[in-house]
Amino acid sequence: EGDTNRSSIPLEFSVADARQLDLENESVSLILEKGTLDAMLSDPKEGKNNCRRTVSECARILKPGGCFVIISHSNAHTVHGMEWLQQVVFAGLQNQEPMPQKSQNQESIGWAIEVHGNDEANMLQEDGGSQDSGPGPAVYVIHKKMVSTHEALRNGSTEVGQYQTKETKPADPPLKKHAPKEPTIPVRFYTY
């Protein structure tokens, strides 16, 4: 006998390897990751690869319209954090096997990322110039959306072999001669 005033939301708990989840494609509406990726990065040999695999798995199981929330000490308001965003998150999101087409509409998966957190410039002003504390953790809200191929091409949202954002353009990785087209992932930064 429990509290009758509380609403009942069915929850299911399981233990799994985040790099290889036993869940169906597009079966989850919300994923909350707090600290797992940061812990994986402590492995100097396989850390980034394990993180990319985890992000890729989360992207696979996330439903269109769903959100993947990451809370990390790798804050993209810093150079180190922007490198992490490119090398782990962007790479993991773009490392998806094509999903079977459900219609002739030729829709594809698109991503949008919000980065919430302090930036280094604000921290320097608040701390009187001290860089010891850094900007602190960031919250990444990653939205999975369906984008028609026609709309993506019309908006010019594909670039050959480059990581780009609409709000900021980090340093591009080296281009390969015949690199496949990768979609642009818009990133918006919010500071507090």
Side-chain angles (χ1 to χ4, degrees), residues 103-191:
S103 70
Q104 295 295 332
N105 192 12
Q106 299 236 335
E107 288 187 319
S108 60
I109 300 298
W111 301 97
I113 300 175
E114 299 174 10
V115 181
H116 298 263
N118 279 326
D119 64 18
E120 287 180 312
N122 285 343
M123 291 303 294
L124 289 175
Q125 288 175 348
E126 291 173 12
D127 290 347
S130 169
Q131 292 183 336
D132 294 338
S133 63
V139 175
Y140 299 83
V141 181
I142 303 170
H143 303 272
K144 185 176 190 177
K145 55 188 181 173
M146 297 303 294
V147 179
S148 73
T149 305
H150 175 72
E151 179 184 348
L153 292 173
R154 185 185 69 218
N155 292 334
S157 63
T158 58
E159 296 293 331
V160 177
Q162 297 182 20
Y163 296 111
Q164 290 190 349
T165 67
K166 292 188 180 188
E167 298 297 319
T168 183
K169 183 178 178 184
D172 296 331
L175 295 177
K176 296 177 183 171
K177 188 173 183 179
H178 298 289
K181 287 188 177 183
E182 295 173 348
T184 298
I185 299 177
V187 176
R188 292 184 183 244
F189 287 85
Y190 298 89
T191 59

Side-chain angles (χ1 to χ4, degrees), residues 8-28:
S8 176
I9 299 174
L11 297 175
E12 181 179 323
F13 295 91
S14 62
V15 177
D17 183 342
R19 299 165 299 175
Q20 190 174 359
L21 297 168
D22 189 25
L23 294 169
E24 297 291 322
N25 294 347
E26 299 180 343
S27 60
V28 177

